[in-house]
């Protein structure tokens, strides 16, 4: 009855359009009252969920992304991508994918990627003769791919939910799958562009190429600082995030100088708004997760899924299917916090490494970002492109298939994920 009350009240509140964090909090208190749990224990769990040093990296990652987003980095990364790959058939679409890969390595946010890169490239693609639904499809699918490229605050959330899995190992584990997915999206983008005979990209004047490359690399060096500091062991994830944010501040306001210093107030306000939502979500999920453990939900789910089939591959397919299904109805961050304590024991019992599971989890849920009815990136992209969700969803089918194929590949070939973490010694 306790499980039914906890899960049922949560689903009911979601259907009543309560914010997810508030729905988790209210369902936790309702269930706690029913079970006779001291409510002060729930409060302590909420506070304890935020008492983690690794969570300090999240505000710095968000701040660095906001600074670079406001400071014109997306335009410079688009220009850099045009120099690298923009000359071939469908070049502007392939620039879109490449720019999202670069931007994902700075912001770690698929929604920020969609709004920043999409606001520039979707109208540009339309002027060059690309169909609206194709332009939006390329933008949102490549933006979802960007959350795999480190740094990613979603991986920090997973690290906390999984009980302290190495953030550095997760970053390195997501790098190769993220690049592999980007390459796969480039292939499907080119195939569709060639089939529809979309135009080649414009040639960049030779005299502008050194400046474009220099400006683009300056922005990308933010990700190099963060990843390099963690991998080398010279910085912790939190220290790397802080130094990355400081570097982003310096490059934006003293090198690029596209925006006045007064915009810093807007940047900080956006950062604090995002951070408040993330921390409230973590606190609420800590209480919710504690009640799940108290009611032995992870144990029940583990026993059920493992009894479904003795074959570990079938179990892993079930996990992936559940994550894909859940990703269509809930945002990524709350799902990481809810699904990790339930499905991680199942995955490890099936022989999956926690780092491997984390990368599979993030990729599965990133597909949900472009899947109706709750695809956040899909909504943003359709709003920018002024095209219906129904039409875009049909155009997204080849991209869905591509992303799912890559997901299955990394699920059943763990070395793709674990090679780099093992190479650097975790």
């Amino acid at each position: 009855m306790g499980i039914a009350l906890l899960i049922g009240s949560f689903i009911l509140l979601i259907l009543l359009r309560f914010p997810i964090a508030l729905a988790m909090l209210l369902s936790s208190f309702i269930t706690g009252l029913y079970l006779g749990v001291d409510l002060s224990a729930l409060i302590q769990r909420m506070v304890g969920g935020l008492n983690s040093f690794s969570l300090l990296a999240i505000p710095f990652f968000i701040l660095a992304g906001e600074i670079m987003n406001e400071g014109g980095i997306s335009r410079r990364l688009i220009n850099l991508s045009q120099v690298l790959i923009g000359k071939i058939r469908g070049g502007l679409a392939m620039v879109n994918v490449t720019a999202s890969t670069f931007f994902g390595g700075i912001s770690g946010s698929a929604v920020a990627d969609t709004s920043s890169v999409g606001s520039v490239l979707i109208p540009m693609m339309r002027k060059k003769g690309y169909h609206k639904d194709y332009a939006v499809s390329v933008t949102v699918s490549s933006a979802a791919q960007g959350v795999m490229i480190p740094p990613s605050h979603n991986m920090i959330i997973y690290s906390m939910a999984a009980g302290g899995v190495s953030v550095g190992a997760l970053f390195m584990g997501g790098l190769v799958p993220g690049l592999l997915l980007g390459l796969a999206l480039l292939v499907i983008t080119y195939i569709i562009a060639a089939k529809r005979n979309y135009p080649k990209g414009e040639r960049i004047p030779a005299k502008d190429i050194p400046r474009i490359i220099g400006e683009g690399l300056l922005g990308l060096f933010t990700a190099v600082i963060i990843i390099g500091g963690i991998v080398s062991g010279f910085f912790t994830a939190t220290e790397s995030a802080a130094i990355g944010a400081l570097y982003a501040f310096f490059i934006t306001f003293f090198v690029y100088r596209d925006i006045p210093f007064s915009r810093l107030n807007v940047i900080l306000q956006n950062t604090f708004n995002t951070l408040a939502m993330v921390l409230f979500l973590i606190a609420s999920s800590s209480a919710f997760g504690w009640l799940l453990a108290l009611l032995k939900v992870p144990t029940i789910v583990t026993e059920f899924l493992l009894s479904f089939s003795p074959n570990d591959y079938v179990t892993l397919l079930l996990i992936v299917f559940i994550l894909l299904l859940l990703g269509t109805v809930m945002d990524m961050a709350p799902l990481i916090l809810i699904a990790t304590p339930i499905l991680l024991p199942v995955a490890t019992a099936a022989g999956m490494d926690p780092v491997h599971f984390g990368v599979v989890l993030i990729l599965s849920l990133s597909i949900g970002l472009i899947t109706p009815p709750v695809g956040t990136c899909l909504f943003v992209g359709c709003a920018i492109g002024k095209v219906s969700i129904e039409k875009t969803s049909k155009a997204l089918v080849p991209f869905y298939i591509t992303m799912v194929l890559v997901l299955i590949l990394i699920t059943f070939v763990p070395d793709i994920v674990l090679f780099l973490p093992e190479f650097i010694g975790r």
Side-chain angles (χ1 to χ4, degrees):
M1 183 60 190
I3 296 173
L5 184 60
L6 180 65
I7 304 298
S9 59
F10 173 67
I11 293 174
L12 177 62
L13 291 169
I14 293 263
L15 293 175
L16 292 174
R17 298 188 178 277
F18 276 69
I20 290 176
L22 186 58
M24 281 196 290
L25 183 62
L26 291 176
S27 60
S28 298
F29 274 94
I30 291 169
T31 307
L33 288 170
Y34 171 77
L35 297 174
V37 173
D38 186 355
L39 295 185
S40 62
L42 283 176
I43 301 296
Q44 289 172 356
R45 289 289 172 176
M46 293 176 65
V47 175
L50 298 175
N51 189 21
S52 172
F53 180 74
S54 62
L55 289 181
L56 287 173
I58 293 179
F60 292 116
F61 283 141
I62 295 173
L63 177 60
E66 288 288 345
I67 291 173
M68 300 302 276
N69 185 22
E70 285 281 333
I73 182 60
S74 58
R75 176 173 55 82
R76 289 175 170 85
L77 292 180
I78 289 169
N79 292 338
L80 176 62
S81 301
Q82 284 182 314
V83 169
L84 297 177
I85 203 171
K87 299 177 184 177
I88 60 179
R89 177 72 59 191
L92 201 55
M94 301 182 77
V95 164
N96 198 326
V97 177
T98 308
S100 292
T101 302
F102 289 156
F103 196 83
I106 296 174
S107 73
S109 170
V111 176
D113 190 342
T114 303
S115 58
S116 298
V117 176
S119 62
V120 176
L121 279 177
I122 291 176
M124 191 182 298
M125 290 175 71
R126 285 289 300 122
K127 289 180 181 178
K128 296 296 181 181
Y130 292 81
H131 294 95
K132 287 194 293 185
D133 55 349
Y134 175 76
V136 173
S137 298
V138 172
T139 301
V140 299
S141 58
S142 59
Q145 164 257 340
V147 302
M148 298 289 295
I149 307 293
S152 170
H153 65 265
N154 289 302
M155 288 189 175
I156 298 175
I157 293 174
Y158 167 76
S159 171
M160 184 271 297
V165 176
S166 168
V167 173
L170 287 168
F171 280 2
M172 289 298 95
L175 182 58
V176 174
L179 295 176
L180 178 63
L181 180 56
L183 180 61
L185 290 173
L186 281 174
V187 171
I188 191 64
T189 296
Y190 174 76
I191 290 173
I192 297 174
K195 184 178 179 180
R196 298 182 181 181
N197 199 32
Y198 286 137
K200 294 182 179 181
E202 297 178 355
R203 184 178 295 275
I204 304 294
K207 63 183 179 64
D208 294 335
I209 291 178
R211 175 185 57 81
I212 291 171
I213 292 176
E215 289 183 348
L217 291 179
L218 277 176
L220 284 177
F221 198 67
T222 307
V224 174
I225 290 174
I226 294 171
I227 299 170
I230 295 173
V231 172
S232 66
F234 198 74
F235 301 129
T236 64
T238 301
E239 291 165 347
S240 291
I243 293 171
L246 185 62
Y247 174 81
F249 172 81
F250 175 78
I251 290 297
T252 297
F253 288 101
F254 296 99
V255 179
Y256 290 162
R257 293 184 295 182
D258 282 356
I259 57 174
F261 195 77
S262 59
R263 290 292 295 175
L264 186 60
N265 289 333
V266 176
I267 291 170
L268 291 175
Q269 183 178 359
N270 292 339
T271 300
F272 292 143
N273 287 341
T274 304
L275 182 61
M277 290 187 289
V278 171
L279 293 183
F280 182 40
L281 184 61
I282 292 173
S284 300
S285 69
S286 297
F288 191 84
W290 181 66
L291 284 173
L292 286 174
L294 183 68
L295 294 167
K296 299 182 179 179
V297 173
T299 303
I300 294 170
V301 173
T302 300
E303 291 176 350
F304 171 75
L305 290 180
L306 292 178
S307 66
F308 191 87
S309 171
N311 191 308
D312 289 342
Y313 293 112
V314 175
T315 302
L316 295 182
L317 276 176
L318 281 172
I319 291 173
V320 169
F321 175 76
I322 290 170
L323 290 173
L324 288 173
L325 186 63
L326 291 174
T328 65
V329 295
M330 195 180 298
D331 286 334
M332 177 180 282
L335 263 178
I336 293 171
L337 294 165
I338 294 172
T340 298
I342 296 175
L343 294 178
L344 179 58
V346 184
T348 53
M352 210 174 197
D353 186 275
V355 172
H356 183 204
F357 173 73
V359 174
V360 170
L361 171 76
I362 297 295
L363 179 51
S364 301
L365 300 185
S366 73
I367 297 174
L369 294 174
I370 61 173
T371 308
V374 191
T376 313
C377 290
L378 179 61
F379 292 159
V380 174
C382 289
I384 294 172
K386 296 180 174 60
V387 61
S388 70
I389 291 174
E390 294 79 9
K391 188 175 182 180
T392 304
S393 296
K394 293 178 182 178
L396 270 168
V397 170
F399 298 92
Y400 288 136
I401 294 172
T402 301
M403 297 179 79
V404 170
L405 288 176
V406 173
L407 172 61
I408 292 173
L409 179 63
I410 69 167
T411 300
F412 293 110
V413 186
D415 286 344
I416 297 175
V417 175
L418 299 178
F419 168 73
L420 275 182
E422 291 174 353
F423 180 75
I424 65 172
R426 301 258 183 168

